[in-house]
């Protein structure tokens, strides 16, 4: 068992937090959960940075004392972390006595060492950033803060300074010798360049306002916010001689937004050097969630409330989107449409469909219990082998903080399991009396169990349900990394078929309530997504509005990068113009029509879920577009050989046809 100490920035509670803050904290939470799963002695710290001139001004504008003002916002932050199920071990507030005492001691110690001295500061200052700019820096940005969209102020006052410049060479050497210290690598050169431009001594006290930690030996001065805030990472552990400090320091990961990376990789390590303390092992500056209007900012008012998103789409959908959509470390565009696409494609179509159809077949084909494996074929051995690869690469990616890559690896197994079910066709094995059906059913159940373990750090609501659905023997709270080994699910375990884990959503959070075709007779509970791939595309919102920006996507999501299908894979789809020569309702099925189609000399039958939108006589004689090379499916005893294409918006469904007189059998390209 190793040690793992991870921190988020401590957030500035001048207003409610937005989805960008949630992005940082959910990522830190997933990493902390992963390391607990691995068996590491893990400590996860977050908190709030509550001092400074901006906070004093905001409180005054609200007619409150600063602490009273801050208390209300901090309560909202704690509530947000509760809703997002953030499993922090400690929440530090810079107004707490435990923190203030440590800051006073640190400031005094640096003063006594000669690393802090009294001088006078005159320079350009942004109240919103709580940061000074050199003349060159101020000139480069036109003496106007780009983040807070207001002019810099010229400030002059007596102040204490920290000898930052004295440690520049030592810090540069540390960064060069420890390439993992500044991450991702693209940020490392930025910090080296900043050092090479020359470090100026840092102003570390203010006397023009009072809302801060008093400098112990200088009445009228308060500690500058970056000394105050940065030292939270050790004050929370009981620096200098607390048991937790000895146990967890140095930090393994400081997780911060890239806009404050400079403070954490230059000012903070130099403070630690001056104190004679070890430096954190890694500081990771992730990118921004960017809107069409630009960088998300409380000051600009272009923020997205994560509480609203959780209410609309569910906790797991929001957590998964934040961690999967953007390669960790890069900027990424946020939109609610993108969240809906991820929810419907990855969670509903891929994972949710895999779980629901597997459980339904286990219930019907094996009496609701996981069967013991029997006869095997070579393809059956591919699944355990792939599972082992996925487990290894998932762990490696999480160790490297590449959370999006880790989830892509998990979805490689999800896609292969969906494809394996189609290839193995357990319904056909059962019909033929082939005992191999038990092998296939066992691997479906075991795949769900293993996926639940890998997804434990991310899908905090759904992963336990997956574990329980296949009758895994221990409580999910007792799951460890040992449970990622293949083949641990005992035969005879009872399965539980519930509602689909991830219902498909429309923009705004409404459930997709389009009509479904009946599932194939020997494939009960195939679920809406799988029915869309066998019986019909009609009625699938994600085939039109939801998936339109994502490109061609298949339910198995196994070909091409990130679930996208390559052009070669697309060419394997045989799309043809067909003429409907006959149509009739399927007895006992309100939504199904039985169609006879002419493919230019070849006749086929297709069962399509369009009866609520077209009467039989309305489709006879029409030219339609059909996918002709799908595996046949039996629906209500009828062999359906192909799939009609249709578009849907709201409750309206329209068959796809051609513009012009094209003969039956013509290829659609």
């Amino acid at each position: 068992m190793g040690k793992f100490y991870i921190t988020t920035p401590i957030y500035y509670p001048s207003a409610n937090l937005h989805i960008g803050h949630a992005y940082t904290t959910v990522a830190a939470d997933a990493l902390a959960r992963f390391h607990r799963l691995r068996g590491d002695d893990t400590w996860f710290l977050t908190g709030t940075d509550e001092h400074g001139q901006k906070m004093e001004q905001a409180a005054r504008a609200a007619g409150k004392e600063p602490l009273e003002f801050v208390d209300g916002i901090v309560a909202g932050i704690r509530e947000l972390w509760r809703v997002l199920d953030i499993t922090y071990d400690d929440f530090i507030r810079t107004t707490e006595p435990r923190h203030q005492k440590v800051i006073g001691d640190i400031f005094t110690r640096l003063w006594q060492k000669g690393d802090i001295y009294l001088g006078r500061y005159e320079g350009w200052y942004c109240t919103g950033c709580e940061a000074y700019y050199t003349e060159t820096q101020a000139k480069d940005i036109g003496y106007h803060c780009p983040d807070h969209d207001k002019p810099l102020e010229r400030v002059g006052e007596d102040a204490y300074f920290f000898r930052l410049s004295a440690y520049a060479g030592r810090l540069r050497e540390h960064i060069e010798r420890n390439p993992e210290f500044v991450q991702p690598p693209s940020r490392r050169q930025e910090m080296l360049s900043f050092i090479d431009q020359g470090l100026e001594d840092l102003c570390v006290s203010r006397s023009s306002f009072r809302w801060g930690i008093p400098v112990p030996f200088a009445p009228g001065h308060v500690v500058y916010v970056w000394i105050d805030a940065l030292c939270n990472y050790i004050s929370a552990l009981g620096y200098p001689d607390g048991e937790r400090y000895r146990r967890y320091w140095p930090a393994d990961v400081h997780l911060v937004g890239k806009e404050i990376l400079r403070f954490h990789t230059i000012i903070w390590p130099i403070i630690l050097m001056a104190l004679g303390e070890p430096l954190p092992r890694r500081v990771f500056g992730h990118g921004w969630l960017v809107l069409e209007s630009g960088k998300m900012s409380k000051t600009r008012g272009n923020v997205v409330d994560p509480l609203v998103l959780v209410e609309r789409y569910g906790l797991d959908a929001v957590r998964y989107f934040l961690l999967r959509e953007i390669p960790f470390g890069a900027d990424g565009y946020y939109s609610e449409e993108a969240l809906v696409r991820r929810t419907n494609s990855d969670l509903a179509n891929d994972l949710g469909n895999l779980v629901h159809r597997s459980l339904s077949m286990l219930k019907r084909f094996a009496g609701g219990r996981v069967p013991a494996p029997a006869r095997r074929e070579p393809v059956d051995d591919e699944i355990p082998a792939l599972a082992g690869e996925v487990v290894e690469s998932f762990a490696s990616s999480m160790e490297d903080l590449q959370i999006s890559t880790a989830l892509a690896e998990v979805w490689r197994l999800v896609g292969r399991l969906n494809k394996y079910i189609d290839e193995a066709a357990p319904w056909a094995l059962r019909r033929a009396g082939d005992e191999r059906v038990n092998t296939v059913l066992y691997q479906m159940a075991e795949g769900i169990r293993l996926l639940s373990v890998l997804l434990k750090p991310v899908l905090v609501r759904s992963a336990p349900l997956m574990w329980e659905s296949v009758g895994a023997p221990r409580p999910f709270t007792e799951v460890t990394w040992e449970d990622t080994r293949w083949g641990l699910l005992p035969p005879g375990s009872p399965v539980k078929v519930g509602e689909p884990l991830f219902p498909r959503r429309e923009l705004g959070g409404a459930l997709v309530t389009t009509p479904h075709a009946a599932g194939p007779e020997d494939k009960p509970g195939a679920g809406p997504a799988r029915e869309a791939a066998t019986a019909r595309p009609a009625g699938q919102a994600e085939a039109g509005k939801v998936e339109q920006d994502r490109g061609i996507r298949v339910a198995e999501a196994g070909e091409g990068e990130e679930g996208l299908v390559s052009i070669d894979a697309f060419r394997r789809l045989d799309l043809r113009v067909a003429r409907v020569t006959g149509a009739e309702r399927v007895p006992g099925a309100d939504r199904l029509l039985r169609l006879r189609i002419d493919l230019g000399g070849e006749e086929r039958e297709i069962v399509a879920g369009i009866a609520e939108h077209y009467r039989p006589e309305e489709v006879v004689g029409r030219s339609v577009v059909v996918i002709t090379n799908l595996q046949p499916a039996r629906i209500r005893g009828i062999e359906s050989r192909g799939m009609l294409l249709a578009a849907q918006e709201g409750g309206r469904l329209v068959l796809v046809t051609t513009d012009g007189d094209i003969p039956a059998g013509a290829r659609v390209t």
Side-chain angles (χ1 to χ4, degrees), residues 352-354 356-358 360-361 518-520 523-531 534:
N353 182 62
L354 169 67
H356 194 70
R357 70 193 298 226
S358 297
S360 297
M361 282 187 265
K523 296 163 69 176
R530 186 61 52 177
E531 290 159 10
T534 55

Side-chain angles (χ1 to χ4, degrees), residues 18-256:
H18 57 66
I19 194 68
H21 303 108
Y23 175 50
T24 310
T25 311
V26 167
D29 180 68
L31 292 168
R33 288 173 181 264
F34 166 73
H35 279 274
R36 294 188 193 111
L37 181 63
R38 293 275 280 182
D40 294 329
D41 181 12
T42 300
W43 197 257
F44 173 19
L45 175 70
T46 189
T48 44
D49 167 19
E50 302 179 11
H51 291 127
Q53 185 178 18
K54 183 168 66 171
M55 195 66 68
E56 187 176 75
Q57 292 173 349
R60 187 182 303 120
K64 297 180 179 180
E65 291 298 315
L67 186 58
E68 177 190 10
F69 174 78
V70 168
D71 281 345
I73 296 177
V74 170
I77 293 173
R78 286 183 179 271
E79 173 61 13
L80 174 59
W81 298 160
R82 184 194 67 78
V83 171
L84 292 174
D85 204 352
I86 304 301
T87 57
Y88 58 80
D89 296 288
D90 194 4
F91 189 105
I92 183 73
R93 297 181 60 178
T94 57
T95 51
E96 292 180 66
R98 61 168 172 159
H99 175 75
Q100 297 193 39
K101 180 182 183 307
V102 170
I103 298 304
D105 291 345
I106 287 174
F107 206 94
T108 300
R109 180 176 171 186
L110 294 175
W111 160 259
Q112 292 171 344
K113 274 192 64 183
D115 283 324
I116 285 180
Y117 62 91
L118 182 63
R120 181 168 178 80
Y121 188 84
E122 291 189 5
W124 298 101
Y125 183 76
C126 173
T127 304
C129 293
E130 302 265 13
Y132 287 100
Y133 292 82
T134 66
E135 182 65 35
T136 300
Q137 291 167 338
K139 184 178 180 180
D140 287 345
I141 60 175
Y143 302 95
H144 192 95
C145 177
D147 287 334
H148 295 91
D149 194 24
K150 64 180 183 180
L152 302 179
E153 301 175 46
R154 189 71 182 178
V155 174
E157 60 182 313
D158 290 338
Y160 286 91
F161 288 78
F162 175 57
R163 298 186 192 277
L164 204 70
S165 58
Y167 292 87
R170 184 175 164 187
L171 176 61
R172 196 185 202 291
E173 182 181 5
H174 179 83
I175 294 174
E176 287 183 328
R177 288 187 174 182
N178 299 275
E180 75 285 353
F181 176 62
V182 181
Q183 291 290 317
S186 58
R187 312 271 188 239
R188 182 169 172 266
Q189 190 56 48
E190 293 177 23
M191 297 305 106
L192 289 172
S193 298
F194 189 86
I195 295 171
D196 290 343
Q197 293 171 16
L199 297 184
E200 297 184 356
D201 288 352
L202 181 70
C203 179
V204 292
S205 79
R206 296 293 304 276
S207 58
S208 57
F209 61 90
R210 294 291 176 267
W211 182 239
I213 299 173
V215 174
F217 50 82
H221 287 261
V222 296
V223 178
Y224 173 65
V225 66
W226 282 108
I227 291 280
D228 177 0
L230 287 165
C231 289
N232 88 90
Y233 303 124
I234 57 176
S235 69
L237 297 178
Y239 173 83
D241 53 6
E243 186 274 332
R244 286 200 183 108
Y245 183 74
R246 295 191 300 270
R247 181 174 173 184
Y248 293 112
W249 191 259
D252 294 275
V253 179
H254 286 322
L255 196 59
V256 300

Side-chain angles (χ1 to χ4, degrees), residues 504 506 512-517 528 532 536-544 609-610 613 644-655:
R504 293 186 308 285
E506 294 177 343
V512 175
T513 56
T514 54
H516 301 149
R536 58 162 189 86
Q540 300 303 312
E542 63 271 26
I610 61 173
H613 303 272
L644 296 182
L645 298 187
Q648 179 164 359
E649 182 176 5
R652 180 169 171 261
L653 181 145
V654 178
L655 292 171

Side-chain angles (χ1 to χ4, degrees), residues 466-592:
M466 292 168 59
W467 174 269
E468 294 164 4
S469 72
V470 293
R474 302 191 320 283
F476 193 65
T477 53
E478 298 177 6
V479 164
T480 71
W481 191 248
E482 287 297 309
D483 290 298
T484 59
R485 291 189 293 118
W486 183 267
L488 299 183
L489 185 62
S493 299
V495 301
K496 180 170 62 177
V497 183
E499 293 297 316
L501 290 176
F502 301 102
R504 293 186 308 285
R505 301 278 183 175
E506 294 177 343
L507 191 63
L511 296 177
V512 175
T513 56
T514 54
H516 301 149
E521 183 178 62
D522 288 325
K523 296 163 69 176
R530 186 61 52 177
E531 290 159 10
T534 55
R536 58 162 189 86
Q540 300 303 312
E542 63 271 26
K545 179 173 63 176
V546 176
E547 287 294 319
Q548 60 188 352
D549 296 328
R550 198 168 160 72
I552 302 161
R553 182 172 174 76
V554 295
E556 288 76 24
E559 300 196 45
E561 183 178 353
E562 294 189 350
L564 296 180
V565 175
S566 68
I567 189 64
D568 289 334
F570 171 73
R571 288 182 179 132
R572 293 202 295 272
L573 293 177
D574 190 8
L575 294 165
R576 302 276 177 172
V577 175
R579 193 170 307 279
V580 180
T581 59
E584 62 187 30
R585 291 186 177 275
V586 175
D590 294 337
R591 301 187 179 103
L592 301 182

